[in-house]
Amino acid sequence: MTYCVGLKLKRGLVFMSDTRTNSGIDNISTFRKMFIFEEPGERCITIMTAGNLATTQSVISLLEERGKAPDDRNPGIYKAKSMFQVATLIGDTLKEVIASHTDSGQQADAMFSATIIVGGQVGDGEARMFMIYPEGNFIEASEDTPFFQIGETKYGRPILVRAFEPDMSFEDAIKLLLVSFDSTIKANLSVSLPLDLHAYDADSRTRGREMRIQADNAYFEEISTGWGVALKNAFRELPDFAFPSA
């Protein structure tokens, strides 16, 4: 399974993804699910993937190969003139890869399904973020929908809905994401550390601060423990329940 989140802030975009793909007792695998395409000063595009690993790796490989040979597919990811064109290109590529599996005799295209978050900035355009569905269509983040989740979304969503603010700092946004990921990891063993992080500064058009948060990261442990204690304390402070009088 997977958990990936993209936040659209006033000051930029923040992306975080886990790296677990299998969680069987004797079959635990780690693969990167975050990819960055960059031409410093001209464009910076971050992609996160969830779903069938063969499908998502094929999509990323095609984007990379066609980016090196833009004449083979125009415009390639390095030639697209807007983030809308980038989202359209990725959607078409995803749809193409899924169709190629089913056309080659494989059954049940749902087995090869994948969902993608892409965000970044191209040229003079603003920083934008999209969620792309297996069918190749997509929606854009907005004031009404300022963040996207893909993969195992339900456990980490409540904290995002309650606490996210578009004018929050990168540091607060990352703290919020770590709480969201901790809640997901606690509830579902198919999501796990390491976590990949990318914070993109709006209008920089170059990759921002990146890091991989390992299982032994002291700050993550502090957040995890502190959040558990805070929840217990908040629960104790709530009014006591009482049955109505007979």
Side-chain angles (χ1 to χ4, degrees), residues 64-80:
E64 290 175 341
E65 288 301 312
R66 290 168 178 175
K68 296 173 185 176
D71 291 340
D72 292 346
R73 179 61 60 92
N74 190 29
I77 197 165
Y78 292 109
K79 297 296 182 181

Side-chain angles (χ1 to χ4, degrees), residues 21-34:
T21 57
N22 292 295
S23 58
I25 294 175
D26 59 353
N27 185 26
I28 296 176
S29 300
T30 298
F31 282 91
R32 177 174 289 275
K33 302 169 188 175
M34 181 186 297

Side-chain angles (χ1 to χ4, degrees), residues 68-124:
K68 296 173 185 176
D71 291 340
D72 292 346
R73 179 61 60 92
N74 190 29
I77 197 165
Y78 292 109
K79 297 296 182 181
K81 295 181 179 180
S82 68
M83 281 302 301
F84 183 86
Q85 285 191 9
V86 169
T88 301
L89 170 65
I90 295 172
D92 290 345
T93 306
L94 176 58
K95 185 177 180 181
E96 173 190 342
V97 169
I98 293 174
S100 71
H101 288 306
T102 55
D103 289 346
S104 62
Q106 301 282 0
Q107 298 297 314
D109 57 351
M111 293 176 56
F112 304 101
S113 180
T115 311
I116 293 174
I117 293 174
V118 57
Q121 197 164 13
V122 173
D124 295 331

Side-chain angles (χ1 to χ4, degrees), residues 99-151:
S100 71
H101 288 306
T102 55
D103 289 346
S104 62
Q106 301 282 0
Q107 298 297 314
D109 57 351
M111 293 176 56
F112 304 101
S113 180
T115 311
I116 293 174
I117 293 174
V118 57
Q121 197 164 13
V122 173
D124 295 331
E126 64 181 82
R128 302 171 72 179
M129 186 169 62
F130 302 86
M131 182 162 69
I132 303 173
Y133 297 101
E135 295 80 8
N137 55 345
F138 52 83
I139 59 174
E140 181 173 4
S142 64
E143 291 184 5
D144 294 326
T145 308
F147 62 84
F148 288 137
Q149 303 167 278
I150 54 176

Side-chain angles (χ1 to χ4, degrees), residues 128-179:
R128 302 171 72 179
M129 186 169 62
F130 302 86
M131 182 162 69
I132 303 173
Y133 297 101
E135 295 80 8
N137 55 345
F138 52 83
I139 59 174
E140 181 173 4
S142 64
E143 291 184 5
D144 294 326
T145 308
F147 62 84
F148 288 137
Q149 303 167 278
I150 54 176
E152 186 57 84
T153 62
K154 57 184 176 290
Y155 303 110
R157 184 174 180 80
I159 180 62
L160 298 178
V161 172
R162 288 179 177 271
F164 176 81
E165 295 289 343
D167 58 352
M168 67 197 321
S169 67
F170 279 143
E171 290 77 10
D172 282 347
I174 292 166
K175 180 166 63 174
L176 177 64
L177 284 175
L178 290 177
V179 173

